[in-house]
Amino acid sequence: MTASSTRRTTAVHSRLAAVGAIAVAGALLLTGCGDQTNDSGSDSTDTPSASAAPLADKLPKEIRDAGVIKVGSDIAYAPVEFKDSSGKTVGIDPDLAAAMGKQLGVTFEFENGTFDTLITGLRSDRYDIAMSAMTDTKDRQEGVDSDTGKKVGEGVDFVDYFTAGVSIYTKKGDDQGIKSWSDLCGKKIVVQRGTVSEDLAKAESKKCTGGKTIAIEAFDNDQQAQTRLRAGGADAGSSDFPVAAYAVKTSGGGNDFQLVGEQVEAAPYGIAVAKNDTQLRDALKAALDAIIANGEYDKIITKWGVADGAVKEATINGGK
């Protein structure tokens, strides 16, 4: 989930070719994901064999001995992470974590939390990492509140593993002339709290003229925002492209929503790690580079229909 409108905005053509593959995954794993953010349960990736893990010695000893990496995640953001019909955590991030776990000889245990509290949970040692479609931004790296510009913490490091832009979607057949962010003046948009969609809406509202503004309704998770739009409580919604595309192809059998306009704010997703956990950070980077090199990464990204967001190598703190 992207956050911080302070970085440079880059327009990206909507990659609708990826949506078809997302639909295939959706048909297999469609759950009608409701509000799962308050679910306090956790899910683990398959336990790997430590003896077969080539990168186990790169981990901090306490994590290697425990055999578990605790992951903070907002597990209501299909197809990046969500619950399937059996209640298991599935998606792009859990699949990548499982592949990395084989390299490191540990289990990645996903714990559910609201998105805007994940970094706080990381700071308080509730989680070892946060992996939740979180955009790597300078503000997050430096611990700066993007709304106020004030420093609120020591910041985090990111291991970047994917690139995504932000999209607008409307009810199907009812785009009300919305083709870009500037068309939202005088209209209402629903978003997830703490994301770049919310930041963009706030920034665009300030540019509106003629006494018009953009009415913004923010929710704890994206599923709640989709429900509001589906019920006619708003004119448009916005979220990261993979999530918006998945909603368009799966909600109501593909009859609820449509994408409008182009993606903007293309930026990297990163795994957040505490600033003082450099050994863990570097181990994660090594594991990502290993699964990119052996082809597992490409298989996972392609499976979920988002191959255009793939990266060639893991990077640290690549966000602007």
Side-chain angles (χ1 to χ4, degrees):
M1 299 156 208
T2 49
S4 179
S5 57
T6 57
R7 63 174 181 272
R8 179 174 61 84
T9 300
T10 305
V12 182
H13 291 295
S14 296
R15 299 190 280 258
L16 296 180
V19 177
I22 291 175
V24 174
L28 294 173
L29 295 165
L30 183 59
T31 65
C33 303
D35 178 10
Q36 297 154 336
T37 306
N38 292 326
D39 175 6
S40 59
S42 63
D43 267 303
S44 300
T45 57
D46 293 336
T47 303
S49 169
S51 61
L55 301 177
D57 61 349
K58 290 187 175 294
L59 285 169
K61 185 178 185 301
E62 61 272 20
I63 289 180
R64 187 168 65 247
D65 289 347
V68 172
I69 292 178
K70 295 179 293 182
V71 185
S73 189
D74 175 12
I75 310 174
Y77 209 59
V80 186
E81 49 258 320
F82 63 107
K83 301 280 189 180
D84 69 8
S85 58
S86 70
K88 181 180 179 181
T89 298
V90 297
I92 298 167
D93 283 355
D95 281 357
L96 290 175
M100 292 165 61
K102 294 176 184 177
Q103 297 293 320
L104 296 168
V106 294
T107 298
F108 284 69
E109 185 175 277
F110 280 71
E111 299 184 12
N112 208 4
T114 52
F115 182 72
D116 58 358
T117 66
L118 295 182
I119 288 182
T120 302
L122 188 61
R123 291 192 193 114
S124 66
D125 294 326
R126 178 177 178 183
Y127 316 122
D128 297 313
I129 65 174
M131 190 175 186
S132 190
M134 184 176 289
T135 298
D136 173 3
T137 69
K138 286 295 184 185
D139 281 350
R140 283 181 172 148
Q141 292 171 24
E142 297 169 1
V144 172
D145 185 301
S146 59
D147 282 336
T148 65
K150 295 180 179 178
K151 192 169 180 63
V152 293
E154 66 177 354
V156 295
D157 282 339
F158 286 98
V159 181
D160 300 337
Y161 64 96
F162 187 75
T163 300
V166 179
S167 295
I168 301 171
Y169 58 97
T170 66
K171 293 186 72 174
K172 191 166 187 177
D174 187 22
D175 67 13
Q176 301 186 57
I178 299 170
K179 303 296 182 186
S180 68
W181 285 89
S182 60
D183 296 326
L184 289 166
C185 293
K187 301 186 185 299
K188 183 177 182 179
I189 190 169
V190 287
V191 296
Q192 180 169 359
R193 187 176 294 107
T195 63
V196 75
S197 295
E198 182 180 25
D199 288 345
L200 282 171
K202 289 177 180 178
E204 197 63 46
S205 185
K206 294 176 182 177
K207 301 176 187 176
C208 294
T209 59
K212 294 181 179 180
T213 59
I214 300 174
I216 305 164
E217 189 171 5
F219 295 86
D220 284 342
N221 67 59
D222 203 66
Q223 297 302 322
Q224 293 170 342
Q226 290 177 25
T227 298
R228 182 69 162 164
L229 178 60
R230 192 182 298 112
D235 301 300
S238 176
S239 57
D240 293 358
F241 170 75
V243 178
Y246 186 90
V248 165
K249 296 304 294 185
T250 60
S251 181
N255 294 316
D256 288 345
F257 305 126
Q258 65 185 44
L259 290 171
V260 296
E262 298 179 339
Q263 291 184 69
V264 298
E265 291 284 302
Y269 283 173
I271 302 171
V273 187
K275 285 286 188 186
N276 61 351
D277 282 347
T278 55
Q279 186 178 358
L280 175 57
R281 179 199 68 191
D282 294 345
L284 294 171
K285 181 185 185 306
L288 274 165
D289 282 333
I291 65 172
I292 290 171
N294 70 17
E296 287 188 80
Y297 174 90
D298 282 342
K299 288 179 182 178
I300 292 165
I301 297 300
T302 300
K303 165 188 170 182
W304 290 103
V306 290
D308 283 349
V311 298
K312 298 299 184 184
E313 63 178 348
T315 57
I316 294 175
N317 294 335
K320 305 296 184 183

